Amino acid sequence: MSYPPRLAHLATRAVVIAKLAPTYAQAHQIDEEEAGQRLSAALAGRMLPALLESAWASMKGSTKRLNDDGLLEKVATTLSDRPTRPGRVAPASPAWSAFLVLADLEAGTASDAARRVMETEEGRRRGDAGLAEAGRFLAAELTRGK
């Protein structure tokens, strides 16, 4: 784990779901409650730590002024009033599409064809790019505000 344990205490699964659900719901044309349920299933395993790691790397790379404790305090301040406030809808991109397919695979809602595509070298590369894109989005959501 290359992110501080406190990040996982601040950005819990419920918080991450709240930030990602609007984008997931719009992409799949479902309501946010169902999107939250699917994301909950997707983030129950190894995807949440990978996403937090990506978000932390993005946070560290985007600031020169704050040290680790300062970044964590910024996240804590942002989440202090309404930690599960829904996130913004991310603009569609190939990387986001790859992340959404990864989430569907983790949730068990993706097709066998999608699974086979994501198991190829190109699929893994695109999945990594999608995870990085979602991490950047999550980092921005966790540090915006106050």
Side-chain angles (χ1 to χ4, degrees):
M1 173 171 47
S2 64
Y3 58 88
R6 185 172 179 213
L7 181 63
H9 293 288
L10 294 168
T12 62
R13 185 164 51 147
V15 169
V16 174
I17 289 167
K19 302 304 179 194
L20 299 179
T23 300
Y24 190 93
Q26 181 175 326
H28 288 76
Q29 298 179 343
I30 57 177
D31 63 38
E32 285 193 28
E33 184 177 333
E34 185 175 346
Q37 291 170 351
R38 288 185 187 184
L39 282 169
S40 181
L43 296 173
R46 63 182 182 232
M47 188 174 230
L48 181 59
L51 190 55
L52 289 177
E53 188 172 320
S54 179
W56 182 250
S58 179
M59 282 185 237
K60 298 264 307 172
S62 67
T63 185
K64 304 272 188 269
R65 299 180 301 134
L66 298 175
N67 62 13
D68 290 3
D69 291 334
L71 276 172
L72 291 168
E73 279 308 309
K74 184 167 181 143
V75 171
T77 301
T78 300
L79 297 176
S80 65
D81 292 336
R82 291 182 52 206
T84 56
R85 180 176 94 190
R88 294 178 254 194
V89 175
S93 71
W96 261 108
S97 296
F99 172 76
L100 295 171
V101 171
L102 286 177
D104 288 343
L105 287 170
E106 289 293 319
T109 59
S111 68
D112 286 336
R115 181 177 313 282
R116 285 191 302 273
V117 167
M118 294 308 283
E119 288 174 348
T120 66
E121 186 175 329
E122 176 71 12
R124 283 190 293 276
R125 191 177 61 72
R126 288 187 183 258
D128 290 345
L131 195 57
E133 180 73 20
R136 284 188 292 277
F137 174 81
L138 183 59
E141 288 293 311
L142 294 174
T143 57
R144 74 178 174 141
K146 303 175 186 168

